DNA sequence: GCCAACGTTGGC
DNA sequence: GCCAACGTTGGC
């Protein structure tokens, strides 16, 4: 899962313990949070638009897909006037802090590791803020970061 | 700041 | 349903 560090960083997650992953307004990402993510699933926390971008830590899903109520709040940056509270369009999950990686793993290092070939994050033009990661790739990233 | 990639919108 | 215009993402 990607987050811009100016908006919400791994340190913010560590401080808060857990958070609503609100504000996602992309159907593919919405569907993954709604359909695929289960309590206990582990998440790589990726600061995007960072210098450098990369994987900073690990979180776990602690609440499964439910309506992103910020979509109905006209004051919210991600307000969507077209979503119907009776039939919510945007969903989110809650995630809990697990760990910071002892060593931050920059995007450049991910790209340089042949074991990560095929990872969705490394595809050209990949903009999805929520993406699947295979077990093998996940464990490889943890190894690179000095965990497990 | 640039720009490639890609999603969304809206006229037809 | 097509597709041009436009907006956003995000690495560099």
């Amino acid at each position: 899962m990607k987050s811009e560090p100016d908006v919400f960083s791994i340190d913010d997650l560590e401080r808060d313990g857990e958070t609503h992953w609100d504000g996602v307004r992309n159907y593919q990402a919405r569907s993954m949070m709604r359909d695929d993510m289960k309590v206990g699933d582990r998440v790589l926390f990726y600061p995007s638009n960072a210098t450098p971008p990369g994987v900073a830590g690990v979180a776990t899903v602690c609440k499964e897909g439910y309506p992103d109520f910020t979509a109905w709040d006209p004051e919210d940056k991600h307000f969507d006037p077209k979503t119907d509270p009776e039939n919510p369009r945007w969903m989110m999950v809650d995630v809990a802090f697990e760990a910071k990686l002892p060593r931050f793993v920059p995007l450049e290092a991910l790209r340089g590791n042949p074991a990560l070939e095929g990872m969705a994050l490394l595809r050209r033009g990949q903009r999805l803020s929520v993406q699947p990661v295979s077990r093998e790739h996940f464990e490889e990233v943890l190894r690179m970061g000095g965990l497990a």
Side-chain angles (χ1 to χ4, degrees), chain A residues 46-57:
Chain A
Y46 179 94
S48 61
N49 256 323
T51 50
V55 177

Side-chain angles (χ1 to χ4, degrees), chain A residues 26-81:
Chain A
N26 169 282
Y27 287 104
Q28 265 181 277
R30 181 283 314 267
S31 299
M32 276 184 276
M33 290 199 289
R34 184 189 60 195
D35 304 331
D36 300 334
M37 297 176 73
K38 303 298 175 196
V39 168
D41 284 355
R42 299 173 89 201
V43 172
L44 296 176
F45 190 104
Y46 179 94
S48 61
N49 256 323
T51 50
V55 177
V58 185
T60 55
V61 176
C62 60
K63 181 172 179 180
E64 283 167 26
Y66 65 106
D68 179 346
F69 48 77
T70 66
W72 305 320
D73 176 2
E75 301 301 310
D76 194 275
K77 183 167 186 284
H78 301 286
F79 173 61
D80 177 2

Side-chain angles (χ1 to χ4, degrees), chain A residues 8 23 25 36 51 68 80-81 91 106 109 114-115 122 128 138 147:
Chain A
F8 193 79
R25 299 291 180 267
D36 300 334
T51 50
D68 179 346
D80 177 2
M91 309 287 277
L122 306 182
L128 272 184
F138 197 101
L147 266 189

